[in-house]
Amino acid sequence: LYASVLSCVPHLGEPGGHDDPFASTGGGDGPKPIALPLYADEWSDDLLSRVLGLLDNLDTGAGSSRGTDQGAGAEGVTGAGASAFLIKQGALLGPLFAMLLQKVGRVQGEALTRRLCKWVLGCTLPSVEAEVGTLLGEAACRFPDLVLKELAAPLASAILSELPEQDAAPSAEAGDSAPSMSFTQEAVLTFRTHVLCEVLLQYPGRTLLPLLPTLTQLADRAMDVPLVGVKRAASHLIACLSMVMVRVFCKLNGPDGPPAIGPRGVEVWVSKEGDGFAPPVWEVAPPEQIAAAEQLLATYLLQSATELRELCAPGGGGGDAGGSHASKMRLLSLLLKMQGCIVGFNVCLREFGFGGGGSGGALCIVGRKGTTVGAVGVREEVAGALSLAAVSLAGQHPDVIKILIGISHALLVSGTEDYVASVSMNGCVVRVGNLLSEPPVAATLQGLPTLRRRVPRFIQTMRMQQQQMMRSAHAAFCSWATAERPTLNDVAHLPAATLQLQHELSVLTMHRYRGVRHMAVKAVEAVSKRFVILGRVAVAGALAAIGDVEPMDFAQLLGGPGAAAGDWRTAMAAQEGALFLRLAAAAVGGEGCGADDAVVTDAAPGASGGDEAGADTDRDARCRGAVSLLASSLPLWRIVFRDVDYFAGMLHALLASRAYNTTPVQADLGKLVLDMFGRFLRPPSLGPDSPIQASLSATLLSVASSSGAAAGQRMTWRYVMLANSLSVLLMPHARHASALPHVTHLLGLLSSCEVVELRGLALGAIYFQATCIVEYGVEPHPPVLDALRAWCGVPANCAALMKHLVSNHSVLETGGWIFVVGG
C-alpha cells in the first residue's frame, strides 16, 4: 500500500517549500500539485523507526545463520543472503524505501540515510542481512557520496580492526589450529562483510578505486581466518569487487533526477511505448578501472590456480584426507578465491579458444555486461588446474568438493550466475507488475488518448536490469556460434582442458557422497546443454558404470597419438568402440548373474572386510550416480536415442547391470528402465533390417530365452524380464522379416512360461502386432502371419493360453483375442 501511494505522489514535503522540486508547477491558474495532509519529516522518521524495529524483532540473534520462520524453507536459510519474508514473493521493501528517500526531499532524505547508516554500524542482524542490504543499496543509489562516507569506509575499517593480524594466522607448518573466533564473532564479521558487499554493488568501479587497497587487504585478512563462514564472506567480497570493476554501470536514480510529472502533479507511469521513462546513462569502465580488474584477476585467480596446481601435484599434500587443519584451510582459501573471481567476472572473463569458427557472422544474442578481461587461454589454464584438483581432492570433505564443482560449473558454462539472477528477478517483476500495473481502462479516466497498460517507473527499471542480465547471459552462453559453425559438433573445436574437466565432473557424479553426486549431475547437465559434443563423454562414463566395465582411458585419449596430431575425432571413436565391445561382452557373459552370487570387487586379495565393504559402497555409488545422471538429463537422452552406437551400448549396459545385487541400486536401475521406456525413440539409423538391429535382437532374445547363459550360470527373473522388455521395445512391425524371431519367441512364452509378468508382456506384444494387422491394415510379412495362424490353430496352445489367462487373474478380458482365434 505504501509503495503504491508513494509511486503516485510527486512530493511529500509542503507544496512550494524549500524541498519541493516541483514548486514551479503550482504557479498561475494551472493544476496544483498533490500533497498528502501530513508532516512529512515526522512521518518518515516514524516509518523508518518502525521498519528498523521490525528488522530487530525478526532477527534470530547473533551466532545463528538461519533465516526466520517466515522466510526460510523447511530446513532454513544458511549462509549469505539469509532473509525474512520482507523481500520475498514480490514484497516491495526496497522500492518503498527508494521512493521515500526520493520524495521527502534532499534534507530529510540525507537525515534518514545518516540514521540508517548509524543503526547498521551498531547492530548485527545475520538473519535479515538481505533486508538490511536492500535498504542500504537504495540509500547508496540516492545519496552515494553520503553512504560512502558514513558507512562504507567506516564499516571496512571496523571489519579490519576485528580481524586477527596476518602474523597471528595459523600456518601450514604450525600443525592443527583451532578456530580463533567464537560463533558470535563469526556472525558479526560475516554480517558486516555481506552488508558491505551490498553497498559496494551500487557504485561504479572508479568510485571505489581509492578504497580498493583497503578492501583487498580486508579480503586477504579474512581468507587467513580458519573459519569457513568468514572465508565465504571474503569470497563474496572478491566477487563484488571483480564485478564492479568490469561491468557497464547504469545510473538510475541520481540526486537531481526528479520523475516526470503529469496532470495535477501526479507522477507519470511508464507505458508499453516507453512514455514517462527517461533513458538511463551507461558508464563504461575507464582504463584505470580495467587495470585494477586485471590485477584482481592475476592475484585471486591466476595465482591461486598456480598454487592449487602445486598443492594437488604428487607430493603436494593437497589430496591427503588426513592432512592438518591448516593445510585444509589453505586449500579452502585457494578454492574460494578462485570462486569469487570467476563468479564476479563471469561473462567478462575471456572465453575459451574455440576452433573451426570460420569467418561467418555471429549468431548469438546482442548484449554484454561489461569489458572483457584476461589474456588468451586464461580459462584453459584455470580448467587445467581444476582438473588436476578434481583427481587429487576426491577423498576430501564433501564441502571442499562441492566448491570445486561450483567453480568448474561457472567456468565451463559462462553466464550461469547472470541467468539464475535474471530468472529470479523476472519472477519478482511479473508478480509485482501483476499487482500494481494499471489496467488499460484506467487510461480513459485521466483523459489519455490511448488505452495502454502502464506500470510504475521502479518496475520498469527492474525490468530493464533483468533484461540486461538475461541478454548478456544468452550472449555468453552461445558466444562461439557463427553462421559457418552454429553448433560445436566436433570435439576438435574444443580445447583439451574442457574435455578433461568435463570428464572429471562426470567422475564426480559417481562419488560415494550423495550431495556431491547431486551437485555434479547438475553441472554435467548444464555443460552438456552448452557443448553437446561433451555430453558423449558423460554418457560414456555413465554406461561404463552401469555395466560395471572399465571406462574410457582419458589419459591415453588426451596424450595419445591421435590427440597429439589433433585428430580428436579418431581418438574418441577408438575409445568409444573399445567401450562398446566391453559392454557387449558383459551383457551376456561374466560372473554375478544371480542375486545371491558373490559380488566381484576391486579389492586386493586378502583385503579386510572393511576394505571390501568400502569397495562395494564405492561401486554401488558409481552405478547410482550414473543412473541419476542419465535419468535427469534430457541432452544425454538425446545422445542415446540419436546415436545408434550409444543406443546399443545403453541396452548392453542395462543387461550387464545384473552385476549389482543390492536393493537400492536395483531400485534405481528399475526407475531408469521405466524412464527409458517412457522416453523411448528408435534411432534414425537403426533400420528394421539393419545389421545392428539383427545383432541386438539376437543378443536380447538369447538372454530372454535363457539360451545365452554360460555353462552353469544362473539367470534371475529380473535379468530375463529386462531382456524380454527390451526385446519388445526393439521389435519391428509385422511387415518386416526381422519381426519373425520376436514373434516366435513371444508365442513360446505364451505356451510355456509360468511367470505371470512374462505372460502379460508377451500377450501385450502379440496384441500389438495383431492390432497393426487387423485394425490398421499393415501388410504382414507372410512367415509372421503364418506363425500366428499356426500357433492359434493348435488347440493345446489355445487351452494353455486360457489357462494362463485365468490363473492368478481376478478379471478376465478376452474380447481382444476373438479376432486372433477367428483369423
Side-chain angles (χ1 to χ4, degrees), residues 791-806:
W791 188 89
C792 293
V794 178
N797 291 340
C798 295
L801 174 63
M802 289 296 108
K803 177 182 177 181
H804 293 324
L805 284 174
V806 174

Side-chain angles (χ1 to χ4, degrees), residues 350-634:
R350 189 172 300 278
E351 191 54 87
F352 289 103
F354 303 115
S359 58
L363 296 182
C364 60
I365 293 177
V366 177
R368 68 176 182 138
K369 186 179 180 181
T371 306
T372 302
V373 294
V376 176
V378 59
R379 285 185 184 257
E380 286 85 345
E381 181 179 350
V382 177
L386 293 176
S387 299
L388 181 61
V391 178
S392 177
L393 305 182
Q396 280 283 356
H397 192 277
D399 290 343
V400 177
I401 307 176
K402 288 179 181 179
I403 295 175
L404 178 66
I405 294 173
I407 299 172
S408 304
H409 183 184
L411 183 71
L412 290 175
V413 188
S414 185
T416 299
E417 301 296 327
D418 282 351
Y419 177 77
V420 173
S422 65
V423 170
S424 176
M425 193 172 186
N426 181 63
C428 179
V429 170
V430 171
R431 285 192 296 269
V432 177
N434 291 336
L435 179 65
L436 296 180
S437 60
E438 208 175 69
V441 68
T444 60
L445 302 179
Q446 299 184 9
L448 299 179
T450 56
L451 300 180
R452 296 174 181 171
R453 187 177 181 88
R454 305 187 304 162
V455 295
R457 293 177 64 256
F458 72 87
I459 296 182
Q460 187 65 23
T461 300
M462 293 169 61
R463 182 179 298 166
M464 181 195 65
Q465 294 173 325
Q466 184 268 336
Q467 284 296 313
Q468 186 210 7
M469 288 190 294
M470 177 69 76
R471 293 178 70 88
S472 66
H474 281 297
F477 189 81
C478 296
S479 59
W480 39 262
T482 63
E484 296 184 8
R485 186 198 56 195
T487 182
L488 292 172
N489 54 7
D490 191 345
V491 71
H493 294 162
L494 294 172
T498 61
L499 180 65
Q500 179 66 32
L501 187 54
Q502 171 74 340
H503 167 64
E504 301 304 337
L505 286 176
S506 302
V507 172
L508 290 177
T509 61
M510 307 168 200
H511 199 271
R512 64 160 50 194
Y513 292 111
R514 182 175 56 183
V516 173
R517 296 199 303 264
H518 181 69
M519 189 170 182
V521 163
K522 291 184 177 180
V524 171
E525 181 182 7
V527 175
S528 301
K529 286 181 179 178
R530 190 186 187 201
F531 306 124
V532 179
I533 191 65
L534 289 184
R536 300 171 71 92
V537 177
V539 176
L543 295 183
I546 293 174
D548 197 23
V549 300
E550 182 183 355
M552 294 170 58
D553 187 356
F554 272 83
Q556 181 181 359
L557 176 63
L558 295 174
D567 191 3
W568 289 97
R569 179 176 295 179
T570 303
M572 278 284 292
Q575 289 283 340
E576 291 171 344
L579 172 64
F580 295 147
L581 289 177
R582 292 193 294 269
L583 288 172
V588 295
E591 301 290 336
C593 288
D596 50 353
D597 284 349
V599 178
V600 180
T601 68
D602 296 332
S608 64
D611 293 338
E612 293 179 359
D616 289 345
T617 301
D618 290 340
R619 179 169 167 267
D620 289 350
R622 286 195 297 269
C623 183
R624 299 189 71 180
V627 168
S628 176
L629 175 62
L630 286 177
S632 62
S633 179
L634 184 59

Side-chain angles (χ1 to χ4, degrees), residues 132-144:
V132 176
T134 298
L135 295 179
L136 288 173
E138 299 296 348
C141 286
R142 179 62 178 162
F143 304 109

Side-chain angles (χ1 to χ4, degrees), residues 260 268-278 450 452 454-455 457 460:
V268 175
W269 283 14
V270 183
S271 71
K272 295 178 67 175
E273 305 298 330
D275 300 332
F277 185 74
T450 56
R452 296 174 181 171
R454 305 187 304 162
V455 295
R457 293 177 64 256
Q460 187 65 23

